[in-house]
Amino acid sequence: MVEEQLVRRGIEDQRVLDAMRRVPRHEFVPEGSERYAYEDHPMPIGDGQTISQPFIVALMLEAARIGPEDSVLDVGTGSGYAAAVAAELGHRVVSIERHPELAVTAAATLEALGYRVNVVTGDGTLGWPAGAPYDVIIAAATGPTLPRAWPEQLTREGRIVMPVGRPGGAQHLTVFERGADGDLHGRSLGAVTFVPLVGDDGWRDRE
C-alpha cells in the first residue's frame, strides 16, 4: 500500500509513510472486508460514513505537519483509522464523532491496538474546547466553510486541514494557516469527495 499508492503518488513525508506502515488498516474496516482494506479507495463503515482511502489520509496528514509534541483534534472519528495514524505522529489526539455507535466501536478498536486516543461523542463543528488548544485540526468530512469555533481552539502556529464544498458537488481539500495578518488563509490541495460535515456550524442532515 505505502509504496504503490502513497510514494508513487507523491507522498514524501517519511514520518507519515512510516506511521501508515505501522497502523494495521484491516483492523479498522467492517468484518468480512479485511481483504480490501489496503486498496486505494474509501470503504463504508456504517451510519452513512466511510473510511477514507489511504492516499487521502496520507495527503491530509502530510499537509498537517504533525510534530511529535503536537496536540491534534480529529473531527469525524469514523472507524478510528486516521486517529490511529495521527497518534503515531503526535503527542495527544482527541477524536470527535457525532454517531455514538461509531464512537464506541472506534474507541474499542483503538484501545485494543494500544492507541491512546481520547474518543468523544459530539458535534464536531463546535470542536472540543475541553481539550484545546490544538496544534492541528483535521476533518474527514466536507463543510460549507471553516467552522467558527475551530480557529479559537487552535494555537497561533496551528494548521487546519479539511475538505470544503457541497456534498455531491465541488469539494477541495484545504489547508488553513495563519498569515502575517493573524488570520487563517486557505489553499487548495485539489479536488476530493467526502461525506458532509453535519452540525450546528456545518451542513444540516436535510442538506
Side-chain angles (χ1 to χ4, degrees), residues 75-161:
V75 178
T77 311
S79 69
Y81 176 69
V85 183
E88 290 274 1
L89 298 168
H91 174 67
R92 179 176 66 94
V93 178
V94 176
S95 189
I96 185 167
E97 171 58 53
R98 73 185 186 95
H99 295 280
E101 299 85 358
L102 288 180
V104 169
T105 301
T109 301
L110 289 162
E111 182 178 5
L113 294 173
Y115 290 105
R116 298 182 63 183
V117 175
N118 181 19
V119 179
V120 297
T121 303
D123 182 349
T125 68
L126 305 180
W128 191 256
Y134 305 101
D135 301 290
V136 172
I137 299 175
I138 55 175
T142 186
T145 187
L146 181 64
R148 290 165 291 184
W150 294 4
E152 300 173 358
Q153 298 176 30
L154 196 67
T155 61
R156 178 66 180 79
E157 302 299 325
R159 289 81 63 199
I160 297 174
V161 183

Side-chain angles (χ1 to χ4, degrees), residues 9 36 141 150 189:
R9 296 183 65 184
Y36 308 111
W150 294 4
L189 297 180

Side-chain angles (χ1 to χ4, degrees), residues 184-200:
L184 287 169
H185 299 274
R187 59 182 174 87
S188 174
L189 297 180
V192 290
T193 301
F194 276 83
V195 298
L197 179 65
V198 175
D200 286 351

Side-chain angles (χ1 to χ4, degrees), residues 1-192:
M1 179 188 80
V2 171
E3 296 300 327
E4 296 292 328
Q5 301 167 21
L6 308 186
V7 175
R8 287 193 178 183
R9 296 183 65 184
I11 301 300
E12 299 179 345
D13 189 315
Q14 195 60 51
R15 294 186 68 240
V16 171
L17 295 173
D18 288 344
M20 295 193 69
R21 286 188 179 99
R22 290 191 293 268
V23 177
R25 185 175 165 88
H26 62 276
E27 299 284 358
F28 293 90
V29 301
E31 186 176 355
S33 301
E34 293 87 352
R35 73 175 75 176
Y36 308 111
Y38 296 95
E39 296 180 4
D40 196 34
H41 56 72
M43 298 176 63
I45 57 173
D47 287 322
Q49 305 302 297
T50 60
I51 177 173
S52 297
Q53 69 185 95
F55 173 73
I56 292 297
V57 174
L59 182 64
M60 294 180 71
L61 294 175
E62 182 174 64
R65 307 193 320 274
I66 300 172
E69 300 302 318
D70 282 351
S71 294
V72 180
L73 176 63
D74 170 52
V75 178
T77 311
S79 69
Y81 176 69
V85 183
E88 290 274 1
L89 298 168
H91 174 67
R92 179 176 66 94
V93 178
V94 176
S95 189
I96 185 167
E97 171 58 53
R98 73 185 186 95
H99 295 280
E101 299 85 358
L102 288 180
V104 169
T105 301
T109 301
L110 289 162
E111 182 178 5
L113 294 173
Y115 290 105
R116 298 182 63 183
V117 175
N118 181 19
V119 179
V120 297
T121 303
D123 182 349
T125 68
L126 305 180
W128 191 256
Y134 305 101
D135 301 290
V136 172
I137 299 175
I138 55 175
T142 186
T145 187
L146 181 64
R148 290 165 291 184
W150 294 4
E152 300 173 358
Q153 298 176 30
L154 196 67
T155 61
R156 178 66 180 79
E157 302 299 325
R159 289 81 63 199
I160 297 174
V161 183
M162 68 173 292
V164 177
R166 180 169 291 278
Q171 303 174 17
H172 286 270
L173 187 58
T174 307
V175 182
F176 292 91
E177 297 180 275
R178 295 191 197 277
D181 57 4
D183 293 333
L184 287 169
H185 299 274
R187 59 182 174 87
S188 174
L189 297 180
V192 290

